[in-house]
Amino acid sequence: MATTNLEKFLEYVENNQEHYVQRLREAVAIPSVSSDAAYREHVFKMGEYLGKLCESLGISYEARDVGTQELDGKTLQLPPIILGTYGNDPNKPTILVYGHYDVQPALLEDGWSSDPWVLTEDSSGRLMGRGATDDKGPVLTWFNIIEAHQKLGLELPVNLKMCFEGMEESGSEGLDELIQQEADKYFKGVDAVCISDNYWLGITKPCLTYGLRGISYFKLTVSGPGKDLHSGVFGGTVYEPMTDLTYLMGKLVKPDGTLLVPGIYDNVAALTEEEKAIYGKIDFKMHELHAAVESDTSIYSSESETLMYRWRYPSLSLHGIEGAFSAPGAKTVIPAKVHGKFSIRSVPNMDPERITELVTKYLNDEFAKLGTKNKMTVECIHGAKPWVSNPDHWNYVAAAKATETVFNVKPDLTREGGSIPVTLTFQDALNTNVLLLPVGRGDDGAHSINEKLDKSNLVSGTKLLGAYLYEVAAIERK
Amino acid sequence: MATTNLEKFLEYVENNQEHYVQRLREAVAIPSVSSDAAYREHVFKMGEYLGKLCESLGISYEARDVGTQELDGKTLQLPPIILGTYGNDPNKPTILVYGHYDVQPALLEDGWSSDPWVLTEDSSGRLMGRGATDDKGPVLTWFNIIEAHQKLGLELPVNLKMCFEGMEESGSEGLDELIQQEADKYFKGVDAVCISDNYWLGITKPCLTYGLRGISYFKLTVSGPGKDLHSGVFGGTVYEPMTDLTYLMGKLVKPDGTLLVPGIYDNVAALTEEEKAIYGKIDFKMHELHAAVESDTSIYSSESETLMYRWRYPSLSLHGIEGAFSAPGAKTVIPAKVHGKFSIRSVPNMDPERITELVTKYLNDEFAKLGTKNKMTVECIHGAKPWVSNPDHWNYVAAAKATETVFNVKPDLTREGGSIPVTLTFQDALNTNVLLLPVGRGDDGAHSINEKLDKSNLVSGTKLLGAYLYEVAAIERK
């Protein structure tokens, strides 16, 4: 029988599962795709949906206008950032939670097994629908927690601040500026940040995430002729940009993943024994990687190495070439101007500016050796710093305790190979600890067809994030 | 005052220019685009237009049905090949003329300065319209010649056989089979072939063309993961197909155009002093190349070398990659399966099968060195042999004399860097000499926007091809 407030809360959540499913169904039904101008009105509707939830639960909120953007040749109003405040007790810690209410595009004809905008539960309890796990399910969790406490007549153990944006899938336009502006205003007094917008490493073991790789995305351009040429007429007589570009791209990374840019590894943090020990404990098997990539073409045979090369060592991927022939069939073109796209996933303590310097110098040096008359330029078109946090911070310890309470298991300490730039922005602007505490599983397929959130994760995630607030309130914070 | 039949013919042509422009205008108005199923009916209309011309001029003809093709998911009737016969005098030589009545696609919005389907004459006498020079203008020339003789009450000095196809811009489907089938039937007794479907090297000097490069077009496929992956999650842990493919493509050709496939030069015919002498005489300047490619990024500084590397040495062009990220912007994808497209322009005495062998062996050897777990395949998806003829053959000598008659200048002896596969088919199937005798200029822009044929070329071309028939009839043929 439930006696403590936490126990009452957990019991209440257990008994109201269908209510949470129904709420998620309402949210998924709004196709809030931020990358497509034609869907922009739905992103606004989703913002209004959250506003109404705030009103119904007595959360004071503001739908902050962050200006306009240019998209598909139109000037579009950016969806508002929802800033909500629940509780203002100086004796309680203040936790800022972040999430996003926009989603990736989705079309039934992409191969979904059911309408992506109708949350559909299958016989295994998977709730399928665009945004179910990324990030509507986790966002609604916070409202579920407040509602449960109101229904139970309980106080929330913390003050909660909310920051929910509608542009995360499209570059988070307007967010960084708002965080900087409001650091000493709206965000003043925040003790820690909790973001639930990533996933368990696998499908059974919960985790806390304390690191992200950064990214430096490059566009390498080689140009020569003033227009595309016919290879029959000009092949053999002019320097071809594709020849130079392909050669340069082939000089960036070895098949085994080793970066070939001189000096690029100089600032990679050394592996400590302490960190090394973490990898051995993580619940991860090679067959899970093979299942995820649908092949056994992994570079490393051990789990530890695989995770280290995903999380704490840099990688370089060649994404493709813009301006060359890319359609099926055979076209005998000499492309006049080609742009190679590649990116480096960076890790502590690599710095984006230094990465750009090294890459630019190396490519210029290699290009000079070619003896071509073509022209080359290289630019970093997008950069984000890597991030790593201290998993011994009270924010993490509280989350670990909450995990044990809900799942009866110690969470894995994971990092992510990708980047969530807002993490670093919050950490630096608010000078506070940021925790990534996922709700969904590693196989949720966030950006794929048939995105899903398991009903059990929706329920356990609501319990986990609620329990986390209790632990944060109880723990010694220093 | 015109006294000989040839002189009367030349004078008649000179006095009927506007009539020829009008005929070309009617033909250009029919958008006979063979590559697009939506335009197929117009290709048929263009075939009917030629059929009516045959009827009106007493040319016995057949519109030969050559079956169907699959295009854009539909089964389409192939446009007929027009086989015409004019004259059957055993005392005259029989000349087979080939051309095509289909055209490349064209849309005003591609950047045309006038409607591509309305022949438009500018102040410099350029007749602009899709198909004007490729190949409706040259095809109509043969009808103009017959008509002129009828109006003048003159006999044509030769028997003429015509073969006009409607699929040249789309792989000449059905043509080779027809030529093989009819070699001893319809095409029996042909003494020589004349094809007018290429261009002068420059814009002032007429030429005879006696050689073409062949082509071997390759598709190099590397695959690994079962689906496209996110580089944040998997970068650094799996073998990436783009890394392997880029490396292999970078091993094919040097920036200066040298092919790196071992053995590929073994069968390239040695340059004789006789052939070398031809290059020195050709009217071609480097600034013409630079104007054509709109840059000065030529590999060779001399005209002779440039022409040799266009016509008589092989080249290798990297066209692009299918399956990788090719759009503007930044996408952090690890493509699962990528297809590199490249082609080798081959020259006498290179053989397509040997080329495929050498390329396949080399790429397999290089791939084995990579130590990757990805899979690689290479296939030649299109091959055509190179062709070179003897410019001392009577067919060429007759054409040279006709050129002197009409232009008062000896023609340049040129080759082409591209391929016109039907040339070799006619030569081999009919065991006869084939001459390429162009009507248009080097700047006609056959496959580009604003394709044009100068009115002066339409007129001089009609004269030239007519005079050629007189010279063929007069020359000692052995």
PDB file of all heavy atoms in Angstrom, chain B residues 101-124:
ATOM      1  N   TYR B 101      15.010  11.784 -86.376  1.00  0.00           N
ATOM      2  CA  TYR B 101      13.976  12.816 -86.313  1.00  0.00           C
ATOM      3  C   TYR B 101      13.466  13.068 -84.907  1.00  0.00           C
ATOM      4  O   TYR B 101      12.561  13.853 -84.708  1.00  0.00           O
ATOM      5  CB  TYR B 101      12.832  12.491 -87.291  1.00  0.00           C
ATOM      6  CG  TYR B 101      12.067  11.203 -87.015  1.00  0.00           C
ATOM      7  CD1 TYR B 101      11.020  11.177 -86.087  1.00  0.00           C
ATOM      8  CD2 TYR B 101      12.369  10.024 -87.701  1.00  0.00           C
ATOM      9  CE1 TYR B 101      10.312  10.016 -85.848  1.00  0.00           C
ATOM     10  CE2 TYR B 101      11.665   8.859 -87.471  1.00  0.00           C
ATOM     11  CZ  TYR B 101      10.628   8.850 -86.538  1.00  0.00           C
ATOM     12  OH  TYR B 101       9.928   7.705 -86.296  1.00  0.00           O
ATOM     13  N   ASP B 102      14.053  12.381 -83.916  1.00  0.00           N
ATOM     14  CA  ASP B 102      13.710  12.707 -82.529  1.00  0.00           C
ATOM     15  C   ASP B 102      14.689  13.757 -82.019  1.00  0.00           C
ATOM     16  O   ASP B 102      15.732  14.016 -82.653  1.00  0.00           O
ATOM     17  CB  ASP B 102      13.753  11.456 -81.640  1.00  0.00           C
ATOM     18  CG  ASP B 102      15.145  10.841 -81.566  1.00  0.00           C
ATOM     19  OD1 ASP B 102      15.825  10.789 -82.622  1.00  0.00           O
ATOM     20  OD2 ASP B 102      15.559  10.417 -80.476  1.00  0.00           O
ATOM     21  N   VAL B 103      14.326  14.357 -80.898  1.00  0.00           N
ATOM     22  CA  VAL B 103      15.148  15.448 -80.355  1.00  0.00           C
ATOM     23  C   VAL B 103      15.327  15.288 -78.844  1.00  0.00           C
ATOM     24  O   VAL B 103      14.659  14.476 -78.204  1.00  0.00           O
ATOM     25  CB  VAL B 103      14.513  16.834 -80.631  1.00  0.00           C
ATOM     26  CG1 VAL B 103      14.427  17.097 -82.125  1.00  0.00           C
ATOM     27  CG2 VAL B 103      13.144  16.972 -79.962  1.00  0.00           C
ATOM     28  N   GLN B 104      16.231  16.089 -78.317  1.00  0.00           N
ATOM     29  CA  GLN B 104      16.442  16.193 -76.867  1.00  0.00           C
ATOM     30  C   GLN B 104      15.260  16.944 -76.244  1.00  0.00           C
ATOM     31  O   GLN B 104      14.581  17.704 -76.928  1.00  0.00           O
ATOM     32  CB  GLN B 104      17.719  16.986 -76.596  1.00  0.00           C
ATOM     33  CG  GLN B 104      18.990  16.207 -76.807  1.00  0.00           C
ATOM     34  CD  GLN B 104      19.338  15.346 -75.620  1.00  0.00           C
ATOM     35  OE1 GLN B 104      19.232  15.754 -74.475  1.00  0.00           O
ATOM     36  NE2 GLN B 104      19.737  14.117 -75.903  1.00  0.00           N
ATOM     37  N   PRO B 105      15.027  16.780 -74.941  1.00  0.00           N
ATOM     38  CA  PRO B 105      13.978  17.572 -74.281  1.00  0.00           C
ATOM     39  C   PRO B 105      14.321  19.065 -74.319  1.00  0.00           C
ATOM     40  O   PRO B 105      15.484  19.433 -74.513  1.00  0.00           O
ATOM     41  CB  PRO B 105      14.003  17.078 -72.836  1.00  0.00           C
ATOM     42  CG  PRO B 105      14.752  15.781 -72.860  1.00  0.00           C
ATOM     43  CD  PRO B 105      15.701  15.873 -74.014  1.00  0.00           C
ATOM     44  N   ALA B 106      13.321  19.910 -74.148  1.00  0.00           N
ATOM     45  CA  ALA B 106      13.557  21.362 -74.084  1.00  0.00           C
ATOM     46  C   ALA B 106      12.357  22.022 -73.424  1.00  0.00           C
ATOM     47  O   ALA B 106      11.214  21.684 -73.714  1.00  0.00           O
ATOM     48  CB  ALA B 106      13.768  21.942 -75.469  1.00  0.00           C
ATOM     49  N   LEU B 107      12.644  22.933 -72.522  1.00  0.00           N
ATOM     50  CA  LEU B 107      11.593  23.712 -71.849  1.00  0.00           C
ATOM     51  C   LEU B 107      12.029  25.168 -71.855  1.00  0.00           C
ATOM     52  O   LEU B 107      13.196  25.463 -71.572  1.00  0.00           O
ATOM     53  CB  LEU B 107      11.424  23.251 -70.398  1.00  0.00           C
ATOM     54  CG  LEU B 107      10.888  21.834 -70.181  1.00  0.00           C
ATOM     55  CD1 LEU B 107      11.020  21.451 -68.709  1.00  0.00           C
ATOM     56  CD2 LEU B 107       9.433  21.745 -70.624  1.00  0.00           C
ATOM     57  N   LEU B 108      11.105  26.044 -72.171  1.00  0.00           N
ATOM     58  CA  LEU B 108      11.414  27.478 -72.163  1.00  0.00           C
ATOM     59  C   LEU B 108      12.061  27.874 -70.833  1.00  0.00           C
ATOM     60  O   LEU B 108      13.038  28.631 -70.795  1.00  0.00           O
ATOM     61  CB  LEU B 108      10.121  28.272 -72.406  1.00  0.00           C
ATOM     62  CG  LEU B 108      10.262  29.791 -72.520  1.00  0.00           C
ATOM     63  CD1 LEU B 108      11.209  30.194 -73.635  1.00  0.00           C
ATOM     64  CD2 LEU B 108       8.892  30.440 -72.751  1.00  0.00           C
ATOM     65  N   GLU B 109      11.539  27.307 -69.733  1.00  0.00           N
ATOM     66  CA  GLU B 109      12.033  27.692 -68.411  1.00  0.00           C
ATOM     67  C   GLU B 109      13.440  27.170 -68.115  1.00  0.00           C
ATOM     68  O   GLU B 109      14.043  27.547 -67.109  1.00  0.00           O
ATOM     69  CB  GLU B 109      11.048  27.280 -67.304  1.00  0.00           C
ATOM     70  CG  GLU B 109      10.583  25.843 -67.349  1.00  0.00           C
ATOM     71  CD  GLU B 109       9.277  25.682 -68.140  1.00  0.00           C
ATOM     72  OE1 GLU B 109       9.138  26.364 -69.185  1.00  0.00           O
ATOM     73  OE2 GLU B 109       8.422  24.889 -67.714  1.00  0.00           O
ATOM     74  N   ASP B 110      13.976  26.326 -68.974  1.00  0.00           N
ATOM     75  CA  ASP B 110      15.377  25.921 -68.810  1.00  0.00           C
ATOM     76  C   ASP B 110      16.315  27.090 -69.099  1.00  0.00           C
ATOM     77  O   ASP B 110      17.514  27.014 -68.811  1.00  0.00           O
ATOM     78  CB  ASP B 110      15.727  24.773 -69.766  1.00  0.00           C
ATOM     79  CG  ASP B 110      15.073  23.458 -69.352  1.00  0.00           C
ATOM     80  OD1 ASP B 110      14.641  23.354 -68.191  1.00  0.00           O
ATOM     81  OD2 ASP B 110      14.981  22.551 -70.201  1.00  0.00           O
ATOM     82  N   GLY B 111      15.794  28.129 -69.700  1.00  0.00           N
ATOM     83  CA  GLY B 111      16.626  29.292 -69.992  1.00  0.00           C
ATOM     84  C   GLY B 111      16.678  29.645 -71.473  1.00  0.00           C
ATOM     85  O   GLY B 111      17.496  30.486 -71.879  1.00  0.00           O
ATOM     86  N   TRP B 112      15.846  29.017 -72.281  1.00  0.00           N
ATOM     87  CA  TRP B 112      15.802  29.367 -73.705  1.00  0.00           C
ATOM     88  C   TRP B 112      15.379  30.826 -73.842  1.00  0.00           C
ATOM     89  O   TRP B 112      14.542  31.317 -73.081  1.00  0.00           O
ATOM     90  CB  TRP B 112      14.793  28.482 -74.443  1.00  0.00           C
ATOM     91  CG  TRP B 112      15.278  27.093 -74.720  1.00  0.00           C
ATOM     92  CD1 TRP B 112      15.466  26.102 -73.809  1.00  0.00           C
ATOM     93  CD2 TRP B 112      15.633  26.544 -75.994  1.00  0.00           C
ATOM     94  NE1 TRP B 112      15.921  24.962 -74.429  1.00  0.00           N
ATOM     95  CE2 TRP B 112      16.023  25.204 -75.776  1.00  0.00           C
ATOM     96  CE3 TRP B 112      15.664  27.046 -77.296  1.00  0.00           C
ATOM     97  CZ2 TRP B 112      16.447  24.372 -76.802  1.00  0.00           C
ATOM     98  CZ3 TRP B 112      16.063  26.215 -78.326  1.00  0.00           C
ATOM     99  CH2 TRP B 112      16.465  24.894 -78.086  1.00  0.00           C
ATOM    100  N   SER B 113      15.954  31.499 -74.834  1.00  0.00           N
ATOM    101  CA  SER B 113      15.570  32.902 -75.018  1.00  0.00           C
ATOM    102  C   SER B 113      14.322  33.028 -75.897  1.00  0.00           C
ATOM    103  O   SER B 113      13.763  34.111 -76.033  1.00  0.00           O
ATOM    104  CB  SER B 113      16.733  33.706 -75.593  1.00  0.00           C
ATOM    105  OG  SER B 113      17.219  33.104 -76.753  1.00  0.00           O
ATOM    106  N   SER B 114      13.873  31.922 -76.496  1.00  0.00           N
ATOM    107  CA  SER B 114      12.574  31.918 -77.190  1.00  0.00           C
ATOM    108  C   SER B 114      12.012  30.499 -77.099  1.00  0.00           C
ATOM    109  O   SER B 114      12.730  29.564 -76.722  1.00  0.00           O
ATOM    110  CB  SER B 114      12.731  32.360 -78.648  1.00  0.00           C
ATOM    111  OG  SER B 114      13.649  31.515 -79.319  1.00  0.00           O
ATOM    112  N   ASP B 115      10.728  30.365 -77.441  1.00  0.00           N
ATOM    113  CA  ASP B 115      10.064  29.061 -77.376  1.00  0.00           C
ATOM    114  C   ASP B 115      10.873  28.044 -78.187  1.00  0.00           C
ATOM    115  O   ASP B 115      11.081  28.222 -79.389  1.00  0.00           O
ATOM    116  CB  ASP B 115       8.652  29.217 -77.964  1.00  0.00           C
ATOM    117  CG  ASP B 115       7.817  27.946 -77.834  1.00  0.00           C
ATOM    118  OD1 ASP B 115       8.406  26.846 -77.741  1.00  0.00           O
ATOM    119  OD2 ASP B 115       6.583  28.060 -77.827  1.00  0.00           O
ATOM    120  N   PRO B 116      11.344  26.954 -77.539  1.00  0.00           N
ATOM    121  CA  PRO B 116      12.184  25.993 -78.263  1.00  0.00           C
ATOM    122  C   PRO B 116      11.459  25.297 -79.410  1.00  0.00           C
ATOM    123  O   PRO B 116      12.118  24.740 -80.290  1.00  0.00           O
ATOM    124  CB  PRO B 116      12.605  24.990 -77.186  1.00  0.00           C
ATOM    125  CG  PRO B 116      11.657  25.178 -76.052  1.00  0.00           C
ATOM    126  CD  PRO B 116      11.200  26.590 -76.108  1.00  0.00           C
ATOM    127  N   TRP B 117      10.136  25.354 -79.411  1.00  0.00           N
ATOM    128  CA  TRP B 117       9.377  24.662 -80.472  1.00  0.00           C
ATOM    129  C   TRP B 117       8.897  25.625 -81.563  1.00  0.00           C
ATOM    130  O   TRP B 117       8.085  25.264 -82.402  1.00  0.00           O
ATOM    131  CB  TRP B 117       8.198  23.887 -79.865  1.00  0.00           C
ATOM    132  CG  TRP B 117       8.624  23.054 -78.691  1.00  0.00           C
ATOM    133  CD1 TRP B 117       8.261  23.208 -77.392  1.00  0.00           C
ATOM    134  CD2 TRP B 117       9.544  21.942 -78.693  1.00  0.00           C
ATOM    135  NE1 TRP B 117       8.872  22.275 -76.587  1.00  0.00           N
ATOM    136  CE2 TRP B 117       9.671  21.482 -77.361  1.00  0.00           C
ATOM    137  CE3 TRP B 117      10.275  21.293 -79.697  1.00  0.00           C
ATOM    138  CZ2 TRP B 117      10.498  20.416 -77.012  1.00  0.00           C
ATOM    139  CZ3 TRP B 117      11.091  20.222 -79.340  1.00  0.00           C
ATOM    140  CH2 TRP B 117      11.199  19.796 -78.007  1.00  0.00           C
ATOM    141  N   VAL B 118       9.392  26.848 -81.512  1.00  0.00           N
ATOM    142  CA  VAL B 118       9.090  27.819 -82.562  1.00  0.00           C
ATOM    143  C   VAL B 118      10.425  28.276 -83.147  1.00  0.00           C
ATOM    144  O   VAL B 118      11.209  28.953 -82.472  1.00  0.00           O
ATOM    145  CB  VAL B 118       8.321  29.035 -81.995  1.00  0.00           C
ATOM    146  CG1 VAL B 118       8.099  30.083 -83.088  1.00  0.00           C
ATOM    147  CG2 VAL B 118       6.983  28.599 -81.399  1.00  0.00           C
ATOM    148  N   LEU B 119      10.714  27.868 -84.370  1.00  0.00           N
ATOM    149  CA  LEU B 119      11.994  28.239 -84.978  1.00  0.00           C
ATOM    150  C   LEU B 119      12.055  29.771 -85.074  1.00  0.00           C
ATOM    151  O   LEU B 119      11.181  30.400 -85.670  1.00  0.00           O
ATOM    152  CB  LEU B 119      12.132  27.616 -86.373  1.00  0.00           C
ATOM    153  CG  LEU B 119      13.551  27.718 -86.963  1.00  0.00           C
ATOM    154  CD1 LEU B 119      14.485  26.729 -86.264  1.00  0.00           C
ATOM    155  CD2 LEU B 119      13.527  27.460 -88.471  1.00  0.00           C
ATOM    156  N   THR B 120      13.076  30.341 -84.464  1.00  0.00           N
ATOM    157  CA  THR B 120      13.161  31.797 -84.336  1.00  0.00           C
ATOM    158  C   THR B 120      14.481  32.271 -84.941  1.00  0.00           C
ATOM    159  O   THR B 120      15.552  31.822 -84.540  1.00  0.00           O
ATOM    160  CB  THR B 120      13.090  32.183 -82.843  1.00  0.00           C
ATOM    161  OG1 THR B 120      11.878  31.646 -82.289  1.00  0.00           O
ATOM    162  CG2 THR B 120      13.080  33.693 -82.663  1.00  0.00           C
ATOM    163  N   GLU B 121      14.389  33.158 -85.900  1.00  0.00           N
ATOM    164  CA  GLU B 121      15.598  33.661 -86.558  1.00  0.00           C
ATOM    165  C   GLU B 121      16.024  34.964 -85.904  1.00  0.00           C
ATOM    166  O   GLU B 121      15.221  35.876 -85.731  1.00  0.00           O
ATOM    167  CB  GLU B 121      15.327  33.886 -88.051  1.00  0.00           C
ATOM    168  CG  GLU B 121      16.561  34.314 -88.812  1.00  0.00           C
ATOM    169  CD  GLU B 121      16.328  34.352 -90.326  1.00  0.00           C
ATOM    170  OE1 GLU B 121      15.285  33.867 -90.785  1.00  0.00           O
ATOM    171  OE2 GLU B 121      17.204  34.876 -91.022  1.00  0.00           O
ATOM    172  N   ASP B 122      17.297  35.045 -85.506  1.00  0.00           N
ATOM    173  CA  ASP B 122      17.750  36.300 -84.915  1.00  0.00           C
ATOM    174  C   ASP B 122      18.434  37.161 -85.982  1.00  0.00           C
ATOM    175  O   ASP B 122      18.522  36.775 -87.151  1.00  0.00           O
ATOM    176  CB  ASP B 122      18.647  36.047 -83.690  1.00  0.00           C
ATOM    177  CG  ASP B 122      20.014  35.517 -84.062  1.00  0.00           C
ATOM    178  OD1 ASP B 122      20.338  35.459 -85.264  1.00  0.00           O
ATOM    179  OD2 ASP B 122      20.770  35.160 -83.139  1.00  0.00           O
ATOM    180  N   SER B 123      18.912  38.324 -85.558  1.00  0.00           N
ATOM    181  CA  SER B 123      19.452  39.293 -86.522  1.00  0.00           C
ATOM    182  C   SER B 123      20.737  38.789 -87.198  1.00  0.00           C
ATOM    183  O   SER B 123      21.131  39.282 -88.233  1.00  0.00           O
ATOM    184  CB  SER B 123      19.723  40.612 -85.805  1.00  0.00           C
ATOM    185  OG  SER B 123      20.622  40.378 -84.733  1.00  0.00           O
ATOM    186  N   SER B 124      21.396  37.759 -86.581  1.00  0.00           N
ATOM    187  CA  SER B 124      22.606  37.210 -87.196  1.00  0.00           C
ATOM    188  C   SER B 124      22.291  36.021 -88.095  1.00  0.00           C
ATOM    189  O   SER B 124      23.203  35.343 -88.567  1.00  0.00           O
ATOM    190  CB  SER B 124      23.584  36.761 -86.111  1.00  0.00           C
ATOM    191  OG  SER B 124      23.763  37.753 -85.143  1.00  0.00           O
TER     192      SER B 124
END
